[in-house]
């Protein structure tokens, strides 16, 4: 018997047993994973039945999920994680890879239709367009100067989210990706710093980074609204993985004049913010475009764009243009008494969202200064958003001036109050007259009856 044959027969049972053990382990592992996935799907369907506002759950169709290959099922469930962990979510999902929007088109189109209240059957988000030339309802010069309608110097702000094609979206980034992205973005920050029109500096909260700022300095930046808050306390961002590896790969560029800020590593890879006190909206808009172009030019692969949904953002609520343009506008007459009801009512008609100056869901203060921004981000171009802000503010200013000129009496509310007052006083006067008449009848009922009788009598006599 040859030695090879002897060894083979000796080891054969060992190899067969090891093979069987590996296969059975893999089989059990797969079954466990399938069981977990089924439980997650059951949870989504449960949320779908109980939370009508959770767009993720409402968009989730078991038949669509079942039609996907296994790897895509896993990816779709990863997108749904925040809405599963937080059933009361309004959106309930985040994209994890730039291609998720197009790869899961049937899911995202439903979620976006519900959130934006848009019927997409004959609508699509068009290509990015920053040119104000020919946009309806703005001056031919293309200069959006708010002083045209006597607005004082106001705080103007425009921001855009961007994600780099090179990396997974923040929810799926590994620590290495976050740190590498910070290194890549240094090329953009260094170019801006070297440009006298920008200057400024980059600060990082990545431990060990050469631009590291300590906890106390970070707090100063947060308090000054320059950098974002600790993401690890946000349940949506944590459950989506977006807050992962905090604070690695997080930082912020600030220009010398503090009017350009770039957040790195928040909900999107980049949030580019341009702000200024002034009246010409083009100043913030043009600066934003210059910074977006610099990122596109300097970073390999540029920024992620979806063929169906425009600019790719982690949160579908921001996709489309990923842009928000706003300004702080004084409307003391429309917000008299600290109520935002009238401003909101008019804002809705003008396609503007009106909120307190300290951000979403903040009350309108007694100063009467509100944050105004066009509500649409989707199926609209960047230029149209700026024009919508300009036109909306013009109309709102007109309403405010009318309210100031006419006083509370001239307003529709006052009119309503006036109508009520007139009705109430007429009813009162009517009641008073009835009472006086009745009293008269009681006091001099014989005189009244006689007069009435006489009247009838003369009438009949005349016939
Ligand atoms: C939700 O689904 O309710 C949260 N993820 C927040 C959605 C609003 N979008 C956002 O803050 N970017």
């Amino acid at each position: 018997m040859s030695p090879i044959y002897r060894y083979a027969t000796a080891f054969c049972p060992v190899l067969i047993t090891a093979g069987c053990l590996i296969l059975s382990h893999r089989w059990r592992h797969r079954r466990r994973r399938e069981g977990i996935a089924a439980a997650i799907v059951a949870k989504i369907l449960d949320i779908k039945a109980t939370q009508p506002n959770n767009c993720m759950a409402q968009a989730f169709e078991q038949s669509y999920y079942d039609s996907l290959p296994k790897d895509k099922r896993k990816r779709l469930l990863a997108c749904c994680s925040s809405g599963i962990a937080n059933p009361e979510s309004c959106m309930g999902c985040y994209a994890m890879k730039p291609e998720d929007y197009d790869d899961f088109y049937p899911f995202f189109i439903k979620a976006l239709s519900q959130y934006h209240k848009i019927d997409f059957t004959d609508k699509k988000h068009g290509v990015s367009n920053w040119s104000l030339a020919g946009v309806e309802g703005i001056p031919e010069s293309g200069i959006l100067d708010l002083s045209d309608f006597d607005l004082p110097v106001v705080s103007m702000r425009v921001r855009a989210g961007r994600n780099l094609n090179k990396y997974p979206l923040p929810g799926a980034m590994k620590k290495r990706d976050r740190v590498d992205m910070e290194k890549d973005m240094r090329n953009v920050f260094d170019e801006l710093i070297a440009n006298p029109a920008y200057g400024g500096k980059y600060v990082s909260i990545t431990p060990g980074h050469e631009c590291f700022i300590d906890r106390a300095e970070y707090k100063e930046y947060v308090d000054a609204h320059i950098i974002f808050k600790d993401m690890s306390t946000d349940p949506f961002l944590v459950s989506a993985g977006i807050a992962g590896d905090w604070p690695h790969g997080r930082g912020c560029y600030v220009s010398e004049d503090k009017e350009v800020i770039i957040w790195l590593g928040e909900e999107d890879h980049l949030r580019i913010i341009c702000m200024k006190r002034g009246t010409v909206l083009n100043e913030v808009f043009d600066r934003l475009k210059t910074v977006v172009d610099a990122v596109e030019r300097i970073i390999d692969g540029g920024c992620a764009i979806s063929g169906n949904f425009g600019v790719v953002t982690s949160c579908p609520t921001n996709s489309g243009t990923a842009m928000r343009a706003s300004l702080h506008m004084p409307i003391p007459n429309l917000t008299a008494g600290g109520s935002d009801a009238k401003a909101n009512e008019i804002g809705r008609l003008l396609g503007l969202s009106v909120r307190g100056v300290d951000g979403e869901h903040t009350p309108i203060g007694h100063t009467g200064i509100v944050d105004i921004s066009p509500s649409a981000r989707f199926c609209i171009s960047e230029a149209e958003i700026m024009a919508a802000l300009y036109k909306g503010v013009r109309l709102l200013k007109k309403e405010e001036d009318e309210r100031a000129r006419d006083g509370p009496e001239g307003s529709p509310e006052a009119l309503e109050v006036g109508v009520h007052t007139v009705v109430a006083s007429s009813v009162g006067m009517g009641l008073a007259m009835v009472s006086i008449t009745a009293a008269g009848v009681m006091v001099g009922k014989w005189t009244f009856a006689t007069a009435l009788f006489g009247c009838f009598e003369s009438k009949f006599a005349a016939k």
Side-chain angles (χ1 to χ4, degrees):
M1 197 186 282
S2 78
I4 295 175
Y5 180 77
R6 267 209 315 276
Y7 279 123
T9 47
F11 280 110
C12 216
V14 178
L15 289 174
I16 290 171
T17 313
C20 286
L21 280 173
I22 290 169
L23 284 177
S24 120
H25 175 76
R26 283 200 178 155
W27 183 76
R28 272 186 288 131
H29 190 61
R30 205 179 66 206
R31 287 293 302 271
R32 203 170 47 239
R33 271 205 321 253
E34 282 169 3
I36 293 170
I40 295 173
V41 170
K43 171 88 176 143
I44 296 176
L45 296 176
D46 182 44
I47 297 171
K48 182 171 179 155
T50 53
Q51 302 283 344
N53 298 327
N54 185 321
C55 298
M56 172 280 292
Q58 296 309 315
F60 190 93
E61 298 291 348
Q62 170 108 52
S63 55
Y64 172 63
Y65 173 80
D66 289 343
S67 74
L68 296 170
K70 230 175 275 164
D71 61 323
K72 276 193 159 183
R73 287 187 199 175
K74 199 172 152 193
R75 278 175 53 199
L76 180 59
L77 291 186
C79 293
C80 300
S81 57
S82 77
I84 301 168
N86 306 281
E88 72 295 348
S89 295
C90 64
M91 188 68 239
C93 51
Y94 290 97
M96 296 287 141
K97 290 180 170 189
E99 56 273 28
D100 280 353
Y101 283 103
D102 297 325
D103 285 357
F104 302 111
Y105 178 81
F107 167 76
F108 279 108
I109 192 84
K110 271 192 89 182
L112 280 162
S113 303
Q114 179 177 347
Y115 184 83
H116 291 290
K117 300 182 183 64
I118 293 178
D119 177 3
F120 286 105
T121 356
D122 57 353
K123 263 191 165 172
K124 197 173 174 217
H125 183 81
V127 290
S128 176
N129 184 6
W130 296 68
S131 168
L132 286 159
V135 177
E136 207 193 308
I138 62 164
E140 219 170 290
S141 64
I143 306 293
L144 308 180
D145 189 347
L146 306 169
S147 67
D148 288 348
F149 27 94
D150 296 331
L151 216 69
V153 164
V154 293
S155 166
M156 310 176 293
R157 184 180 187 273
V158 53
R159 69 103 166 120
R162 283 294 182 277
N163 289 281
L164 308 180
N165 264 317
K166 257 187 107 160
Y167 296 102
L169 293 176
M173 283 176 107
K174 305 259 181 296
K175 190 169 170 181
R176 187 77 256 151
D177 296 322
R178 300 186 201 275
V179 171
D180 286 349
M181 188 174 75
E182 187 174 29
K183 282 191 188 135
D184 279 345
M185 278 302 294
R186 279 306 295 279
N187 298 322
V188 176
F189 302 143
D190 286 347
E191 185 174 298
L192 292 173
I193 293 164
N195 180 346
Y198 290 86
K201 62 176 173 175
Y202 177 69
V203 293
S204 172
I205 50 172
T206 303
H209 193 280
E210 56 178 335
C211 302
F212 182 74
I213 49 168
D214 64 15
R215 197 183 272 265
E217 208 177 338
Y218 166 68
K219 189 179 174 306
E220 282 172 25
Y221 273 79
V222 171
D223 293 345
H225 304 285
I226 295 173
I227 203 170
F228 43 96
K229 291 186 191 141
D230 182 346
M231 296 161 72
S232 64
T233 60
D234 183 316
F236 297 102
L237 301 183
V238 169
S239 54
I242 294 173
D245 310 308
W246 177 263
H248 293 266
R250 271 68 179 213
C252 163
Y253 161 79
V254 199
S255 64
E256 190 60 40
D257 57 14
K258 296 197 168 49
E259 289 175 353
V260 179
I261 290 174
I262 305 175
W263 288 357
L264 180 84
E266 208 242 8
E267 187 181 286
D268 291 306
H269 291 160
L270 308 173
R271 283 281 172 95
I272 306 165
I273 304 151
C274 295
M275 53 198 162
K276 188 181 174 69
R277 283 188 61 74
T279 60
V280 180
L281 287 171
N282 308 63
E283 288 174 2
V284 280
F285 185 55
D286 294 348
R287 234 176 170 193
L288 179 70
K289 172 82 170 95
T290 308
V291 178
V292 169
D293 286 349
V295 175
E296 290 281 8
R297 179 170 41 82
I298 296 169
I299 302 288
D300 269 355
C303 302
I305 304 285
S306 146
N308 294 296
F309 301 108
V311 174
V312 166
T313 52
S314 277
C315 184
T317 59
N318 287 318
S319 60
T321 54
M323 192 177 109
R324 182 175 187 276
S326 62
L327 56 87
H328 288 178
M329 179 172 174
I331 44 169
N333 290 287
L334 288 171
T335 54
S339 163
D340 61 355
K342 193 75 221 161
N344 268 316
E345 185 192 318
I346 296 171
R348 245 193 319 277
L349 294 173
L350 304 176
L352 299 174
S353 92
V354 180
R355 63 194 206 188
V357 290
D358 291 323
E360 219 165 347
H361 312 305
T362 58
I364 287 176
H366 286 273
T367 54
I369 298 178
V370 292
D371 180 289
I372 307 281
S373 68
S375 317
R377 318 240 193 293
F378 212 78
C379 295
I380 186 169
S381 73
E382 289 79 358
E384 284 166 345
I385 291 182
M386 293 313 284
L389 180 61
Y390 176 80
K391 291 185 277 183
V393 166
R394 176 170 57 202
L395 293 170
L396 197 59
K397 177 73 168 60
K398 193 163 159 273
E399 291 282 342
E400 167 68 12
D401 289 348
E402 271 167 24
R403 174 68 71 106
R405 194 185 55 228
D406 301 342
E409 294 80 23
S411 68
E413 266 167 8
L415 199 64
E416 209 176 300
V417 171
V419 169
H420 287 152
T421 314
V422 170
V423 170
S425 45
S426 308
V427 169
M429 272 173 69
L431 282 173
M433 282 178 72
V434 167
S435 310
I436 291 166
T437 313
V441 168
M442 292 295 284
V443 171
K445 62 181 172 188
W446 293 113
T447 320
F448 181 75
T450 310
L452 201 63
F453 182 72
C455 185
F456 272 120
E457 202 179 33
S458 57
K459 265 199 162 189
F460 282 115
K463 279 208 167 184

